[in-house]
């Protein structure tokens, strides 16, 4: 569901990341509105936000996943379902869907209308 590694991170991702971090630091009563605005329901999880604030003093390396090459993707020979959110913060879902359709014959690719990564599962369950 909306996996990384299918396209590089662009300005949209970094903007979403910064907006989510700012929303996470907002007072609890404001978070539901901000979560909808930035498309990040994780800011509604009080325990997760407490953990995030507690961890800000730690240095950690979060490696950026490499973008899979067309050759690497062609190695997928088993039926594979890719669910991409139309409002993905990671990448342009239509571009990724077109690429997967061209290079992964066994893939079934669906772009979930109006969904970001945090809403794909809910949209599919309906």
């Amino acid at each position: 569901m909306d996996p990384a590694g299918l396209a590089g991170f662009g300005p949209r991702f970094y903007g979403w990341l910064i907006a989510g971090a700012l929303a996470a630091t907002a007072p609890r009563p404001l978070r539901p509105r901000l979560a909808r605005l930035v498309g990040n329901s994780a800011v509604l999880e009080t325990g997760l936000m407490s953990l995030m604030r507690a961890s800000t003093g730690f240095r950690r390396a979060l490696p950026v996943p490499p973008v899979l090459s067309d050759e690497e993707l062609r190695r997928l020979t088993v039926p594979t379902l890719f669910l991409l959110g139309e409002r993905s913060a990671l990448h342009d879902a239509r571009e990724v869907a077109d690429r997967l359709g061209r290079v992964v014959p066994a893939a079934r690719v669906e772009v979930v209308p109006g969904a970001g990564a945090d809403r794909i599962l809910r949209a599919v369950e309906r």
Side-chain angles (χ1 to χ4, degrees), residues 3-10 64-68 73 90-93 95-96 99:
L6 299 176
F9 295 149
V64 175
V67 176
L68 297 170
L73 288 170
L90 290 177
H91 45 246
D92 182 306
E95 286 180 14
V96 170
R99 179 177 179 227

Side-chain angles (χ1 to χ4, degrees), residues 7-20 88-92 95:
F9 295 149
R12 179 169 56 184
F13 170 74
Y14 291 107
W16 173 82
L17 192 66
I18 292 166
S88 173
L90 290 177
H91 45 246
D92 182 306
E95 286 180 14

Side-chain angles (χ1 to χ4, degrees), residues 28-105:
R28 183 190 270 183
L30 293 176
R31 282 193 230 145
R33 185 173 182 189
L34 294 172
R36 283 189 302 277
L37 184 68
V38 300
N40 187 346
S41 60
V43 301
L44 299 175
E45 302 294 330
T46 303
L48 185 59
M49 294 304 97
S50 296
L51 181 61
M52 185 200 76
R53 284 194 281 288
S55 70
T56 57
F58 294 97
R59 295 188 127 235
R60 59 195 171 279
L62 297 175
V64 175
V67 176
L68 297 170
S69 69
D70 287 354
E71 183 57 39
E72 289 170 316
L73 288 170
R74 281 189 189 97
R75 291 184 200 147
L76 289 173
T77 57
V78 298
T80 307
L81 172 62
F82 290 91
L83 296 175
L84 307 171
E86 179 182 49
R87 295 183 56 220
S88 173
L90 290 177
H91 45 246
D92 182 306
R94 293 284 170 208
E95 286 180 14
V96 170
D98 290 345
R99 179 177 179 227
L100 289 169
R102 283 192 318 272
V103 299
V104 187

